[in-house]
Amino acid sequence: MKKIAKNLLVLVVLLSMVVSPLNAYAAQTVKKDYPLSKGIQYKQYTYKDTYTNSINHIEIDLDKPDTEVQLGMPATVNGRESTVANANRNSREGNRVVGAINASFFDMSEGFPLFLLAKNNVIFNGGAVSNGSDQYMNVPTAFGISADGSGVIDYFDFDVTLSHKGTNYDMSGMNRARNIYESIVYTPQFYSKTTNTNEYGFEIVVDTGSPITENKFGQTLTGKVTKITPYGSKEKISIPPTGFVVSLQGGDWHSKLSQIALGDELSVNFSIDKQWQDAQFIMASGPYLVKDNKPYIMMSTSSQRGRAVVPRTVVATSNNGKKVHFITVDGKQKHSAGMNMVQLANYLVSLGVERAINLDGGGSTTMGIRNYGNNNVVLANIPSNSGNTQRLVSATLQAVSTAPTGKGRYIDYKNSTSNATLLEGASSSIAVKYVLDENYNALPLDGHLSLTSENNTLNVNGLSYTATKAGNDRIFINHDGTAVQSFQVKVVDAPAAMNIAPTSKTVNSGETVKFTMDAKDDGGKPLVYNPSQVKWSVEGNIGTITNDGKFTAKNPGATGNVVATLGTKSVKAPVTVAAAGLFKDIPNNYVYYKEIEYLTKNNIITGQADGTFRPNDKLTRAHAAVIISRALGLDTSNVKNPGFKDIPANHVYYKQIAAVVEAGIMSGKGGNTFDPNGTLTRAQMAKVVALAYDLEGTSNINFKDVSKDHWAYPYVQQLAANDITTGYGDNTFRPNEAISRAHFGLFLYRAIHQ
């Protein structure tokens, strides 16, 4: 095997040593960077070169105490388990798995590993070395941890040697599928009870007489031949628990071993080169990517596998093997494209690793890490497998902290008051997210946390505390009685500044206004106090106020203050209760309040019996006559009967109507009627007001709906000329619209004050 490896090595180096230069424009942004344990650091990058990639990186410092890299295996050699599940199954007190990646290649249908796997010299899988420069492991390369605890990436020479009557034969491998022209040794450690070979070969069954419980480097198994199956036999050969089966295919092997007979003694030896003997574990994979800080790709980079831009998983070493790096590159996704072999090797060199080897990638690429606050490993990258779920794999590499759980050292907590100044009597509380020991192991929280006050001026209740006295104190957060963190608490007996809102207010009787107050400390920051500590009160007979600042006004015309008191300090807001309005529907801020108030006080216009004015009601002709007669002070005691059929002498407004008709201000309608309940149009209003106040003049305003031949044109012009009307914004007067009580009052007020 050594000669074969050397020949292939020369070939592949010639094919693959030339790679593209590093891209000087590549940029890497660190998104996450924090320790998983004392000797294990996790980072996540966004790397932009030819493509944008998301990269996860765990760096393990094997020089740090209690720090290891371990090989994770499922329960059976041909079993499969997700990277995260395998890590959590192997994690326990004193052996905390804090990070993991998927490892070597495996048979997707049967589940068994494809390449060599061994731990503490015990061989789990003999594996194979592939043929062809386009194959991932076409020369025997591996990663492992040596006997002295260093990370190793290098070639290996695993030999399975068969001996018969003093002659040694180099076998192709052990405990894996037999391929064409190969010789394979099957032991009881094979995942199947039978060899599962086809009929194109022959098999020799050997019994050693003793149970074989494991296979190890340096082990020799010797026994007697108990059965030989002829070429072409389809018999399923069982592997004896006390022996092994030699399975051979090809004429060359037949000529070499056809002389073996029943009862002959056969031996098989498993050995590995000195570098890997007694290693903590060895895991074969490929291709080699980086050697001596330079790209060193041990496969054809022009092959389909070498050119494919896909997710990648890598293990690398630096610092002469004292640092091990787990690296994953997400791929085939929008956030991350992946890398081909050249890009991958160049990127690894830019990271500064000394050696690196490729692991199973594609949909298998997975990294798990332990997040703070929980000792379980969770997914760190985004796999490209269907639904971004983890693929079940046959082996993992695990970053492990063997330190026992210690006392609390690190804490993540939130103070509900953000360490602000407290008023005497105010309360605060903390919420703890996690507590970690010095190795970042998560510690239990429920029943393990407590608070203490340094000066005993803070009354502690569970994870809450209340200020009892002005001054400075300190709260300690304890885990199982050991202080993990502390912070200062400042307490005052009054705010440095207080503000009340609104700062002043004029309100109507019966109206409710919500007053609020804010308080600041001497640094201008919000003071912490309980809402119940604010005492609200009123000065003057202005109304009442609730405990939460809702003021209800009473007693129109009264003035006073709303007062907020906090601690020993108070602040006031002047309040005026507005005088009673003219009418229920005419508040003090009504747009025509002044005009209606004047007409009301001068007994020119009155409201309704229910206390309303009804400003938007249409004005009747009878009411217009009444209002005009009052405004002009017409004599209604001795009037001439106008003779209208609908205005008899006993009509309620007979005298006022007769007076305005006699004064020539209003006239009747056709048929000798006055139509007292009919509405007054804006054009009729213009005539009435113009005649009542002897208005003259013309205006430069020409309303587009009152032409010169309109009967009301001169009256409208007289109103406009005397600034009694300006019309509407669209340059109309709307002469045929009924005028409202409010607008009639407005025009009358302007006419009186022209």
Side-chain angles (χ1 to χ4, degrees), residues 65-386:
D66 306 316
T67 302
E68 295 182 2
V69 172
Q70 297 178 4
L71 176 66
M73 296 288 292
T76 59
V77 173
N78 67 320
R80 281 176 288 179
E81 195 171 14
S82 75
T83 299
V84 166
N86 184 251
N88 287 325
R89 185 167 58 82
N90 292 338
S91 187
R92 58 191 179 277
E93 173 63 23
N95 195 85
R96 292 294 183 193
V97 179
V98 301
I101 54 172
N102 66 295
S104 56
F105 293 84
F106 62 97
D107 184 283
M108 291 284 285
S109 59
E110 298 293 335
F112 58 84
L114 292 177
F115 307 133
L116 177 66
L117 280 174
K119 185 175 182 181
N120 296 322
N121 288 328
V122 176
I123 304 166
F124 295 122
N125 184 64
V129 176
S130 305
N131 292 319
S133 63
D134 65 331
Q135 299 298 308
Y136 291 117
M137 200 182 84
N138 50 60
V139 292
T141 51
F143 165 76
I145 300 297
S146 65
D148 68 359
S150 299
V152 178
I153 294 175
D154 211 339
Y155 305 104
F156 67 90
D157 190 6
F158 172 53
D159 291 319
V160 180
T161 305
L162 183 71
S163 299
H164 176 246
K165 294 183 178 181
T167 303
N168 295 329
Y169 303 92
D170 289 334
M171 307 296 284
S172 305
M174 65 175 291
N175 289 344
R176 65 170 175 81
R178 187 196 69 201
N179 297 313
I180 188 169
Y181 306 134
E182 284 193 327
S183 55
I184 304 296
V185 173
Y186 293 96
T187 72
Q189 282 63 56
F190 186 50
Y191 75 90
S192 175
K193 293 182 179 180
T194 65
T195 60
N196 294 334
T197 53
N198 57 38
E199 67 270 27
Y200 306 111
F202 65 103
E203 295 182 324
I204 303 168
V205 181
V206 179
D207 194 323
T208 68
S210 299
I212 300 173
T213 58
E214 62 183 11
N215 306 133
K216 301 182 69 173
F217 297 135
Q219 180 185 42
T220 299
L221 301 175
T222 302
K224 297 292 182 69
V225 176
T226 61
K227 186 173 185 176
I228 301 174
T229 63
Y231 179 86
S233 172
K234 295 184 178 181
E235 180 183 358
K236 291 287 185 183
I237 299 301
S238 297
I239 304 168
T242 57
F244 56 90
V245 177
V246 179
S247 184
L248 309 115
Q249 198 270 334
D252 185 49
W253 282 111
H254 190 271
S255 63
K256 288 179 181 178
L257 300 179
S258 61
Q259 76 278 15
I260 294 176
L262 293 175
D264 282 0
E265 183 177 89
L266 284 182
S267 296
V268 64
N269 175 264
F270 311 116
S271 66
I272 197 161
D273 51 291
K274 185 177 180 180
Q275 176 177 232
W276 294 103
Q277 184 69 38
D278 300 323
Q280 294 179 24
F281 70 84
I282 176 174
M283 179 202 69
S285 191
Y288 219 140
L289 294 170
V290 175
K291 185 178 181 183
D292 300 328
N293 305 98
K294 296 177 182 178
Y296 193 82
I297 304 173
M298 299 304 297
M299 73 176 295
S300 170
T301 58
S302 62
S303 66
Q304 190 278 330
R305 286 191 175 97
R307 290 183 290 106
V309 177
V310 295
R312 300 291 182 184
T313 304
V314 171
V315 61
T317 60
S318 61
N319 196 27
N320 293 319
K322 291 303 180 183
K323 285 190 177 180
V324 173
H325 306 263
F326 295 169
I327 298 166
T328 61
V329 182
D330 284 354
K332 292 188 174 181
Q333 299 178 75
K334 185 176 181 180
H335 77 287
S336 188
M339 292 184 180
N340 62 34
M341 287 299 177
V342 171
Q343 293 164 339
L344 184 60
N346 285 339
Y347 173 72
L348 294 168
V349 169
S350 74
L351 284 183
V353 303
E354 294 167 359
R355 297 192 175 197
I357 193 170
N358 181 65
L359 303 177
D360 187 15
S364 297
T365 291
T366 309
M367 178 179 285
I369 61 169
R370 176 179 71 171
N371 284 329
Y372 292 168
N374 196 308
N375 287 324
N376 287 333
V377 171
V378 296
L379 195 62
N381 77 314
I382 303 177
S384 67
N385 200 29
S386 176

Side-chain angles (χ1 to χ4, degrees), residues 15-42:
L15 287 172
S16 305
M17 283 292 288
V18 179
V19 296
S20 62
L22 296 179
N23 188 342
Y25 298 99
Q28 182 159 283
T29 303
V30 178
K31 297 178 67 178
K32 298 178 181 179
D33 187 356
Y34 51 85
L36 302 178
S37 71
K38 269 189 174 180
I40 303 172
Q41 191 79 12
Y42 167 68

Side-chain angles (χ1 to χ4, degrees), residues 40 57 102 113 143 198 247 284 303 330 380 411 500 522-523 528 553 565 629 636 667:
I40 303 172
H57 182 179
N102 66 295
F143 165 76
N198 57 38
S247 184
S303 66
D330 284 354
I411 187 171
I500 194 170
D522 54 8
V528 175
T565 301
S629 68
T636 59
S667 60

Side-chain angles (χ1 to χ4, degrees), residues 482-558:
T482 299
V484 182
Q485 184 62 279
S486 70
F487 55 87
Q488 184 176 323
V489 180
K490 182 180 179 181
V491 181
V492 296
D493 59 6
M498 288 175 62
N499 295 295
I500 194 170
T503 56
S504 63
K505 188 71 175 176
T506 297
V507 295
N508 295 317
S509 180
E511 184 179 352
T512 297
V513 177
K514 181 69 167 69
F515 282 85
T516 60
M517 189 278 302
D518 72 271
K520 301 285 196 301
D521 63 13
D522 54 8
K525 296 181 180 179
L527 181 69
V528 175
Y529 55 89
N530 300 332
S532 61
Q533 290 182 274
V534 182
K535 305 302 178 186
W536 293 96
S537 60
V538 296
E539 292 179 344
N541 193 21
I542 56 174
T544 59
I545 194 164
T546 62
N547 291 335
D548 60 352
K550 290 181 182 177
F551 169 74
T552 302
K554 294 182 179 180
N555 302 319

Side-chain angles (χ1 to χ4, degrees), residues 664-712:
I665 298 170
M666 296 182 73
S667 60
K669 290 188 173 182
N672 196 28
T673 62
F674 185 77
D675 189 17
N677 296 320
T679 57
L680 194 71
T681 66
R682 287 173 57 83
Q684 292 167 347
M685 174 277 301
K687 178 180 179 181
V688 169
V689 173
L691 294 176
Y693 289 95
D694 298 323
L695 300 180
E696 296 180 350
T698 57
S699 169
N700 58 3
I701 301 175
N702 289 307
F703 299 108
K704 59 186 180 183
D705 55 353
V706 183
S707 63
K708 289 185 178 181
D709 58 356
H710 191 287
W711 71 265

Side-chain angles (χ1 to χ4, degrees), residues 610-640:
D610 62 358
T612 62
F613 183 77
R614 300 181 190 174
N616 298 319
D617 280 6
K618 297 174 182 178
L619 186 72
T620 66
R621 288 171 53 79
H623 283 160
V626 172
I627 293 170
I628 286 294
S629 68
R630 291 174 181 170
L632 297 177
L634 298 180
D635 182 6
T636 59
S637 60
N638 185 19
V639 292
K640 180 181 178 181

